Amino acid sequence: MKHVTILLAVMMLTIVSCRTTSVRSHSFTKAEISGCDSRGLIKTLGTGGLFGTRGVIYNQAHVIPGVIHPLMKEKEATGSLGLYHAYEPKESVESVATAMSDIALLSTKVQAAEPRMPSSQAAVFEGLDKTLNVFSVDGAKLLKVTSLKVDVPPEASAIIIIKGQTPALTAAKLESPFNPAKTLFVLPDAISFTVRGDRFAGTVIAPNAQIHLDAKHEGSLYGANVRAMMISKPVMYTGCMFASDQFQK
């Protein structure tokens, strides 16, 4: 009788174990099918911070942990009191550089909405999709913008594609609501991108650009060369990437 009881107990444990494994496996598959980052491009970029395929200069005496991407190594501290920290990429940055280029290439093929511009000084990126809203704007239209607003549903992602070789935001102020972790700027053509002002937020991907950010920044920067200061919080983009049904046919 004892042998039968033990045998039944083992069988019950096996059944429970199989069910638990099955549920976990099903949940994982469902998450993969969701396609928020089906190509793994954002995952490949890593943890965020400042990244340059050729180099990074950070203009602060003290470097806050997490500000510099882990694939960048410090080369030298120069300038008065060591205010300029120079970094160069490690040997293993090819996958990140490829992901940057792939995102830029995809941005040139995706269907995107233009922002609403009530005046030459205001740009409103309005979208109703609860998952991902994609916008595209010529950088020349942003030169005089003093008010920049992203108006999408709570927790929705917003990707803003800025076209042109030398876009700049030198006077724009961010208007609420603005979620840095859900906002991504992609500059596929830029050879330079300058941001000046009080505050900027979101992740910037500009594979071929010299990025110069002179503003308080809550986000991450990916470019060819990056020069930045006043990083208040190195937030990484955690939103969705382009879905297959968004591409031009």
Side-chain angles (χ1 to χ4, degrees):
M1 185 68 179
K2 289 183 179 179
H3 292 295
V4 173
T5 303
I6 293 172
L7 180 61
L8 287 172
V10 171
M11 290 176 64
M12 289 298 294
L13 285 172
T14 303
I15 291 171
V16 170
S17 177
C18 289
R19 285 179 177 175
T20 305
T21 304
S22 176
V23 169
R24 288 179 179 174
S25 176
H26 176 70
S27 299
F28 178 76
T29 303
K30 186 176 181 180
E32 288 292 303
I33 292 174
S34 69
C36 198
D37 184 19
S38 60
R39 299 174 180 84
L41 295 175
I42 295 299
K43 181 180 179 181
T44 301
L45 292 181
T47 59
L50 304 181
F51 176 86
T53 55
R54 292 197 283 271
V56 168
I57 293 179
Y58 184 52
N59 185 7
Q60 285 291 310
H62 302 287
V63 181
I64 302 172
V67 166
I68 307 300
H69 192 283
L71 288 183
M72 304 298 295
K73 59 182 179 181
E74 187 160 13
K75 182 171 59 175
E76 59 184 339
T78 61
S80 177
L81 302 178
L83 290 179
Y84 296 91
H85 294 264
Y87 298 81
E88 60 186 4
K90 296 179 181 178
E91 293 76 14
S92 55
V93 300
E94 185 177 350
S95 60
V96 177
T98 300
M100 291 166 59
S101 297
D102 287 346
I103 291 171
L105 179 60
L106 290 172
S107 74
T108 64
K109 301 178 180 180
V110 74
Q111 297 181 19
E114 292 188 359
R116 180 172 62 86
M117 302 193 71
S119 70
S120 62
Q121 296 181 318
V124 184
F125 297 88
E126 294 176 320
L128 299 176
D129 195 292
K130 295 181 179 180
T131 302
L132 174 63
N133 299 271
V134 182
F135 308 94
S136 179
V137 61
D138 191 320
K141 294 183 178 180
L142 301 178
L143 292 176
K144 297 181 180 180
V145 166
T146 58
S147 173
L148 187 68
K149 183 176 182 180
V150 178
D151 189 2
V152 298
E155 300 304 317
S157 306
I159 298 179
I160 299 172
I161 303 162
I162 303 179
K163 297 180 290 185
Q165 290 194 327
T166 58
L169 294 169
T170 57
K173 292 184 178 180
L174 305 182
E175 306 290 344
S176 295
F178 203 101
N179 187 345
K182 295 289 186 177
T183 307
L184 173 64
F185 296 89
V186 183
L187 295 87
D189 310 313
I191 57 175
S192 70
F193 179 51
T194 303
V195 179
R196 294 193 183 96
D198 178 61
R199 184 174 73 94
F200 189 66
T203 294
V204 175
I205 297 176
N208 304 308
Q210 308 270 345
I211 300 176
H212 187 179
L213 190 140
D214 187 7
K216 294 178 182 178
H217 184 222
E218 188 173 347
S220 297
L221 302 178
Y222 289 82
N225 286 287
V226 174
R227 187 182 184 100
M229 62 186 298
M230 297 186 292
I231 305 298
S232 58
K233 195 174 181 181
V235 175
M236 181 59 184
Y237 179 68
T238 60
C240 291
M241 282 305 301
F242 309 114
S244 58
D245 59 352
Q246 292 176 314
F247 292 97
Q248 298 171 1
K249 298 179 180 179

